[in-house]
Amino acid sequence: MPAMTKETIDDAIRVTGLRVVRGGTVVLPGIDLTVPAGKLVGLLGPSGSGKTTLMRAIVGVQVIAAGTVEVLGRPAGEPSLRHEVGYVTQAPSVYPDLTVAENLGYFATLLGTGDDDVDRVLEAVDLTANARRRVSNLSGGEMSRVSLAAALLGTPRVLVLDEPTVGLDPVLRRDLWELFTRVAADGTTILVSSHVMDEAVRCERLLLMRDGRLLADETLPELLARTGAADVEQAFLALVETDAR
Amino acid sequence: MSPRMSLATAARVLRQVRHDPRTIALIVILPCLLLGLVAWMFDGTPVLDTIGPSLLGVFPLIVMFLVTSVTMLRERLSGTLERLMTMPLRRGDVVVGYALAFGLLAALQALVLVTFAVGVCGMNVAGPLWAVILVAVLDAVLGASLGLAVSALARTEFQAVQMMPAFIFPQLILCGLIMPRDQMPAVLEAISVVLPLTYVVDAMQTLSTDADVAAIWGDVAVIAGFIVVAVAVGATTLRRRTP
């Protein structure tokens, strides 16, 4: 990509009036949001609030009823974006019957990168020692790290991570958040979802979602100042109550 | 479509199969056991020479149909297909990759089965053996590509298995194996014309009695046509965006 494009895009992701209906239920009634380029942005909300649907729309695999989704200034799902957007689904989407290295080798070939790239992402998620193990023999946490490693291949400019830390032990969660912070510091935009409100402290910016609508889009200090709450959990409750009135 | 992506996908599918010796055994050995059973039952009679070649067209079709439709469905359900759809490969690359991988397995299966039928069971055919192998390979590839096309209709692995009686049994009944097609009621004979197994069995029956290979080229062309259509249907039923 020419450096020009990189400079001129302020928002890596821009969603306008996005409406998604799944199985007769309105999941997103018409959401607007932006994700600034190069930032680590947390998408927080309870299970069922539409986080996954929103992320699927951003990576271009969701049928949408109305609205527009732009990534790096181009319509979501455009072929040229498939080299630049990495996506981690909620369940580890890797082949359980292949080894870690075989999985990453396949995805690397599809992206046109090589063995060096596989070694790099293995190191990033601390799985180098497990490269030859079959994925089905790994723990749940190791499996989700393989899935994350696959998304890091090819150094995408935008990473969309759907609950990558769910069910992991606290040490591993801390390590992964440090990894996200490092990757974002290198200029990658990261949108990471979680239903654990505590993880908000790790994010540069927060998007709070409930029932397919955006409750907040600001930094953590801004959110706490506006609601007068002590933490994100309290802020969330305060916003829901204001909303109900 | 890109050959690099199709080949990478085929290699990946074959690696998955290699890690699963039980499936390899089912693909390669099971059809031999079934044919052996028939040969044993009709031991001492010329029946194997009559129906044996047709059975070479039936067992691979069923086995490859099942294996392919279930594998493809697993890819859809596990989320790996969703990941692939966000990556720079085309839908055709996925389907062609699968067809190549299972086509190779199909070729192995057909080779082993024909060798077993002729070498161990003592089946005699009038036509050349290579032609029998060719039709058997095409037939197994046909099973794989039908499995790919049909897997889109199934939501669960349980349903995928049910697709076999739905799509294969009518072909078994009408292909001319149970009753010669020209003796069937006109409507059924007309239906059999649009079912691919009909042409496999016709080619095999021709090879069992006729030494002249030229008589099967029409059937071979029709089978190849069905394979191309099934692969194309498989590619169009893969959706990048899902509801």
Side-chain angles (χ1 to χ4, degrees), chain B residues 42-123:
Chain B
F42 291 108
D43 194 22
T45 72
V47 173
L48 185 66
D49 296 345
T50 328
I51 66 163
S54 298
L55 291 179
L56 294 186
V58 169
F59 298 146
L61 184 84
I62 296 176
V63 175
M64 295 311 287
F65 180 89
L66 273 178
V67 171
T68 316
S69 56
V70 171
T71 314
M72 191 66 211
L73 189 81
R74 231 196 275 163
E75 176 114 72
R76 282 176 203 266
L77 295 180
S78 68
T80 47
L81 189 65
E82 183 160 302
R83 180 194 287 279
L84 293 182
M85 291 294 101
T86 68
M87 297 183 76
L89 86 168
R90 292 178 192 280
R91 295 176 300 165
D93 294 326
V94 180
V95 178
V96 171
Y98 263 86
L100 282 176
F102 284 109
L104 205 69
L105 279 173
L108 175 72
Q109 180 195 53
L111 265 175
V112 172
L113 182 60
V114 172
T115 310
F116 178 82
V118 174
V120 179
C121 304
M123 185 181 83

Side-chain angles (χ1 to χ4, degrees), chain A residues 133-203:
Chain A
R133 286 177 64 195
R134 205 187 291 188
V135 169
S136 57
N137 297 330
L138 300 178
S139 73
E142 288 165 333
M143 244 183 242
S144 51
R145 278 188 285 156
V146 180
S147 196
L148 176 64
L152 295 173
L153 286 166
T155 320
R157 288 170 63 191
V158 176
L159 268 177
V160 178
L161 313 175
D162 198 355
E163 308 225 352
T165 57
V166 71
L168 298 187
D169 83 82
V171 179
L172 208 53
R173 263 171 55 189
R174 184 201 59 200
D175 291 352
L176 282 184
W177 277 101
E178 279 169 9
L179 170 67
F180 301 156
T181 311
R182 272 204 313 278
V183 172
D186 289 341
T188 303
T189 309
I190 303 185
L191 179 65
V192 52
S193 75
S194 176
H195 63 262
V196 184
M197 298 286 174
D198 293 349
E199 298 197 314
V201 292
R202 310 279 191 168
C203 304

Side-chain angles (χ1 to χ4, degrees), chain A residues 22 56 60-63 76 82-83 87 93-95 97-98 102 106-107 109-112 134 147 150, chain B residues 4-5 8-9 12 15-16 18-19 74-75 79-80 82-89 240-243:
Chain A
R22 296 184 81 174
R56 280 171 41 86
V61 296
Q62 175 68 50
V63 174
R82 292 182 199 138
H83 279 283
Y87 175 41
S93 47
V94 286
Y95 300 99
D97 40 5
L98 294 181
E102 285 172 338
Y106 172 55
F107 295 126
T109 309
L110 297 184
L111 289 165
R134 205 187 291 188
S147 196
Chain B
R4 178 171 59 95
M5 307 240 185
T9 303
R12 185 264 297 171
R15 269 192 206 104
Q16 284 180 284
R18 201 185 60 197
H19 285 301
R74 231 196 275 163
E75 176 114 72
T80 47
E82 183 160 302
R83 180 194 287 279
L84 293 182
M85 291 294 101
T86 68
M87 297 183 76
L89 86 168
R240 219 175 258 282
R241 286 180 186 269
T242 48

